């Protein structure tokens, strides 16, 4: 769905981030979910390097993005927002109780069991490259990531998606795996790499990514968008 300035749904994001972060800010996960659900939204943008206004901390206690407001529900944290969007979208959360619970479990697994170590690996590679502590830490961290990818590959087997059909769990897992693009580690597990490409080939992801990238074309001096 195209961004609609009149939409009841508002998602916060950034008007500028450093190049390495472009296309990876977490409001992309929410945009993707909204695209899968066929729901329009509008954006409210902040400059990543400027202090958030005081009022924003009543919406997002840590001053991060995204925050979400649909006129009835106000939320923060991308996982919680995706689950909320999925409540009426069978593509994201199947209607039967067991399948919905499994999709929810995979979303939480992506955030709790996979993302932390990928995030740490990126912190080393982007912000601490060349430092001695990072050189010592990286090999063991790589092995932990490899272990998670091996388990993920074993689970996938010959399935297209984690539970056979695409769900919010796949949306979040693919979003998290994007953090490995610089490392090349995913290429060691062909099943995982193919699964990842399958998720990102979805038209809803392409639309969400294009929308986020378009926001970064704004003047970096804008600060808070109106």
């Amino acid at each position: 769905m195209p961004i609609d300035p009149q939409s009841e749904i508002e998602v916060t994001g950034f008007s500028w981030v450093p190049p390495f972060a472009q296309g990876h800010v977490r409001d992309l996960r929410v945009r993707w979910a909204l695209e899968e659900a066929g729901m329009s939204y509008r954006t409210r943008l902040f400059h990543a390097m400027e202090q958030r206004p005081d009022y924003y901390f009543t919406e997002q206690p840590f001053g991060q993005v995204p925050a979400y407001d649909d006129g009835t529900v106000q939320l923060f944290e991308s996982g919680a927002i995706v689950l909320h969007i999925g409540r009426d979208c069978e593509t994201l959360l199947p209607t039967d109780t067991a399948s919905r619970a499994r999709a929810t479990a995979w979303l939480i697994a992506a955030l709790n069991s996979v993302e932390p170590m990928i995030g740490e690996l990126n912190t080393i590679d982007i912000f601490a490259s060349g430092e001695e502590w990072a050189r010592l830490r990286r090999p063991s961290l790589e092995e932990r990531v490899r272990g998670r990818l091996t388990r993920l590959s074993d689970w996938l087997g010959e399935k297209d998606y984690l539970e056979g059909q695409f769900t919010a769990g796949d949306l979040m897992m693919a979003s998290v795996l994007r953090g490995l693009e610089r490392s090349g580690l995913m290429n060691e597990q062909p099943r995982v790499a193919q699964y990842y490409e399958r998720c990102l080939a979805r038209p809803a992801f392409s639309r969400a990514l294009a929308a986020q990238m378009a926001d970064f074309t704004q003047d970096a001096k804008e600060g808070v968008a109106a």
Side-chain angles (χ1 to χ4, degrees), residues 55-224:
Y55 73 80
Y56 187 60
F57 291 90
T58 67
E59 303 173 36
Q60 218 296 355
F62 308 104
Q64 301 168 324
V65 301
Y68 168 98
D69 189 342
D70 62 17
T72 301
V73 174
Q74 187 179 80
L75 282 173
F76 61 99
E77 292 296 329
S78 61
I81 299 168
V82 169
L83 288 175
H84 174 68
I85 294 167
R87 74 198 189 285
D88 295 321
C89 174
E90 190 171 357
T91 299
L92 295 173
L93 292 177
T95 55
D96 70 279
T97 301
S99 296
R100 178 171 287 230
R102 297 288 296 182
T104 302
W106 276 113
L107 181 145
I108 294 171
L111 294 173
N112 286 358
S113 297
V114 180
E115 186 169 42
M117 60 192 69
I118 292 177
E120 187 178 352
L121 189 64
N122 278 325
T123 296
I124 286 175
D125 290 346
I126 296 170
F127 299 109
S129 179
E131 295 189 23
E132 181 64 11
W133 73 265
R135 184 187 68 80
L136 295 173
R137 172 63 176 152
R138 199 178 193 286
S140 62
L141 187 56
E142 269 197 12
E143 287 309 303
R144 291 186 66 201
V145 172
R146 285 191 173 99
R148 287 291 193 263
L149 293 177
T150 297
R151 295 298 185 188
L152 194 57
S153 177
D154 290 345
W155 178 268
L156 281 166
E158 300 304 316
K159 298 191 294 291
D160 285 345
Y161 299 107
L162 294 169
E163 291 293 322
Q165 68 181 55
F166 181 86
T167 71
D170 298 291
L171 183 154
M172 194 60 68
M173 186 65 74
S175 297
V176 166
L177 290 174
R178 293 186 74 226
L180 291 176
E181 287 180 344
R182 298 180 184 88
S183 73
L185 290 174
M186 199 161 26
N187 295 331
E188 298 175 8
Q189 293 290 345
R191 285 175 178 166
V192 177
Q194 291 164 12
Y195 160 76
Y196 173 73
E197 294 299 332
R198 189 177 300 118
C199 290
L200 267 56
R202 296 180 67 85
F205 173 78
S206 298
R207 293 193 298 268
L209 180 60
Q212 187 184 79
M213 294 300 292
D215 282 341
F216 299 139
T217 66
Q218 297 191 40
D219 189 336
K221 297 180 181 180
E222 278 187 349
V224 179

Side-chain angles (χ1 to χ4, degrees), residues 45-56:
L45 305 178
F46 301 96
H47 190 293
M49 301 304 291
E50 294 183 358
Q51 178 66 32
R52 310 295 176 268
D54 289 344
Y55 73 80
Y56 187 60

